[in-house]
Amino acid sequence: MAITIPLRRGFPVAIRHGSRRCFSSSRNLQATWGFIGLGRMGYPMARNLRAKIPAEDTLFVHDVNTAATKKFLEENPHGVRVADNVREVAEKAETIITSLPEPQHVKGVYKDMLEPATLLTDGFVNTERLFIDCSTIDPMTSGAVADMAHSTGQGKFIDAPMSGGVVGAQAGTLTFMIGAAPEVVQKATGVLSFMGRRVLHLGGQGAGLKGKLANNYLLALNNVATAEAMSMGIKWGLDPKALAGMINTATGKCWPSEVNNPVPGVVEGSPASRDYEGGFGLALANKDLKLALKAAAEADVKLAMGESARAVYDAAERDENCKDKDFSVIYRFLGGKE
Ligand code: NAD
């Protein structure tokens, strides 16, 4: 039987009677959580999660990088256990969040968590798991992983890619775009609210990733187009700030023109104004663009500009003056006047 109890920040979480938790002295009231992938995003997300769940709950963490788990345990000594492997996380935690680099990592981690399909009988918790994958991967891989969880009845799997970057992850202000069955939306929203400010439910499993990739495709193209338009105007003799100001009251306005303008000095504090340091990395922008192109090809979507943009990003990534910089460095790559 499931009961619903109110938690901090006012979201309800279902706690099931009859859960077995071997490490708990006061059974049934302490929830167990798992976090896999303590990288640039995952580390601060897991820290926020640990800080906001009830003190008596336990968070199991795992990363192949043992330096990350060691540091996490040192910095968050209460209610944290380092799991030896991802299967241990899946066996001991009811709600498991993953934040991993690429599709192959997500596939591998979930295979190891879900096989053999005995989590509900051999695990330490006998309730169906909630798996939340925050990685940016392609919808096909995500769908295959969801099938692994759903077909074996071991848990519900949702995709919850995020935006807001490392700054948002640290501040707990991320936006999550989720693809989830209706019955898990409320619970997933509550969990993600511990790490972010907004949760947008876009439809069934896979919908979060599709939304994220469509958005980031547009962003990647807008970034190139803004760099080209700014470069053109400046080389014609226009003042950069005046040009950007005009565009931002006219129909060319977009996030790269208004917030992340690629011309140094146009927006104070932007990556372009600090030698393109920080911000949204060129490699990540290119990764998302490639995922969008792959998913578009699978759905037979005709794209006019995708491949040209990809060629620009690939070449910029190989350029010593551009690689490892914010993606607005495309302006520099295209020979824009700095
Ligand atoms: P990252 O490379 O910094 O972190 C990934 C972590 O996963 C690393 O600590 C790595 O050791 C760990 N890992 C890899 N394989 C593992 C395995 N098999 N088992 C356990 N741990 C494993 O990446 P990130 O920047 O934190 O990004 C994570 C995801 O979020 C990516 O899919 C990325 O595209 C997406 N994302 C990143 C940003 C950003 O600004 N960094 C923004 C939005 C979305």
Side-chain angles (χ1 to χ4, degrees), residues 36-45 62-66 68 86 98-106 108-109 112 133-137 161-167 174 212 216 279-281 284 287-288 291:
I36 298 171
L38 299 176
R40 279 164 296 185
M41 296 294 287
Y43 192 99
M45 289 165 72
H62 180 74
D63 195 299
V64 283
N65 174 9
T66 50
V86 298
T98 47
S99 172
L100 297 160
E102 307 268 350
Q104 67 270 23
H105 303 112
V106 175
V109 162
D112 289 349
D133 181 36
C134 298
S135 322
T136 305
I137 61 169
M162 49 205 170
S163 71
V166 175
V167 173
L174 293 168
K212 161 95 182 174
N216 283 26
F280 183 39
L284 277 178
K287 173 198 160 184
D288 292 359
L291 287 171

